[in-house]
Amino acid sequence: MHTASAPAKVILFGEHAVVYGQPAIAVPVSSLRATVQVTSGKGLHIVAANLGRTLPININADVVDDALALTAKLVLQTLKLPAPDLTLTLDSQIPMASGLGSGAAVSTALARALSSALGQPLDNETLNTIVYEVEKKHHGTPSGIDNTVIVYEQPVYFVRQQPIERLNIAKPFTLIVADTGKSALTRVAVGDVRKLYEANKDHIQPILDAIGSLVKDARLALEHGDIAALGPLMLQNHAYLQEASLCSTGLGARVGTAMKAGALGAKLSGGGRGGNMIALVTPETRNNVEQALLNAGAVHAFFTMVS
Ligand code: MEV
């Protein structure tokens, strides 16, 4: 039996602007994972336990709509192998449509598990290409940051179409990730920014440029262990995203709640409009901030150490 997994991710700085060529910073959340187990079966099937469905895979079909089926098809095409008699059972702890990279994580785990069950485990570079293909089919115009941080499972300073840069985090810090409970599709948020951009480039381009320059400052702060500098940068990044109308009222309120409860900084993370927000906390403030967010209606919150 083969098992493989992949982590969730959070974007620390630069979401959306990264689609337009600006840099962004993302880190894996290794405690929250999608796992795929491979057992023998008759034909190729994917059992998505969380989604309550079993999917027979026809890799010869011209159009493969389902993201998991498409992942399997691309793996087999890459390895030049026919569909095997295997059942791939997916179990994911990562909530969907909440900015945590669930789609890229399940595709990565599936491609890893299938290729290693076939005796030809794919390297990260090939995996990244496959998962990016799947992301493109399902998310419109993704920058590639989600698949990259998830496949390599390391902090990244990411610029579209540039070689991958590992980011060195000089001093670990803790984030709370809090779920607004409102799911929001990244594809829709990215499409809306595109419309805004096309309609009013003069307004949106300076916001994207300002986000890019802030991400460079954040990189220096992270590399120098200057945690105190991160909070104001998170707030500034959030304000820019708000200006690009990416913030639901719920998300904005949660950021305010976290700050009042003692967070050093907070912002939306990922596509926005709902999903998760992140807050930078210290050992002294973490419980206070968590409680305040839950009292304010966050449906779920967890801590992650970034290192
Ligand atoms: C989604 O996690 C990040 C976005 O910037 C989209 C992308 O980069 O593909 C919103």
Side-chain angles (χ1 to χ4, degrees), residues 9 11 15-16 18-19 141-146 186 190 270-271:
K9 64 91 194 100
I11 299 209
E15 51 275 270
H16 287 289
V18 68
V19 174
T141 55
S143 63
I145 190 170
D146 285 14
T186 301
V190 170

Side-chain angles (χ1 to χ4, degrees), residues 195-279:
K195 279 185 216 139
L196 263 171
Y197 180 79
E198 300 298 348
N200 198 350
K201 243 184 216 170
D202 292 348
H203 175 58
I204 299 294
Q205 188 61 54
I207 298 178
L208 301 176
D209 293 342
I211 293 177
S213 130
L214 171 159
V215 172
K216 290 178 191 145
D217 292 344
R219 176 189 195 158
L220 288 178
L222 289 163
E223 286 176 343
H224 291 105
D226 186 1
I227 307 301
L230 295 177
L233 288 168
M234 287 169 81
L235 289 172
Q236 186 65 64
N237 194 162
H238 183 77
Y240 286 136
L241 290 167
Q242 248 171 338
E243 240 181 290
S245 65
L246 278 163
C247 188
S248 67
T249 42
L251 262 172
R254 300 277 188 285
V255 167
T257 302
M259 293 309 293
K260 268 195 218 120
L264 296 176
K267 66 184 276 293
L268 69 81
S269 178
R273 295 270 163 79
N276 278 280
M277 49 88 62
I278 53 175

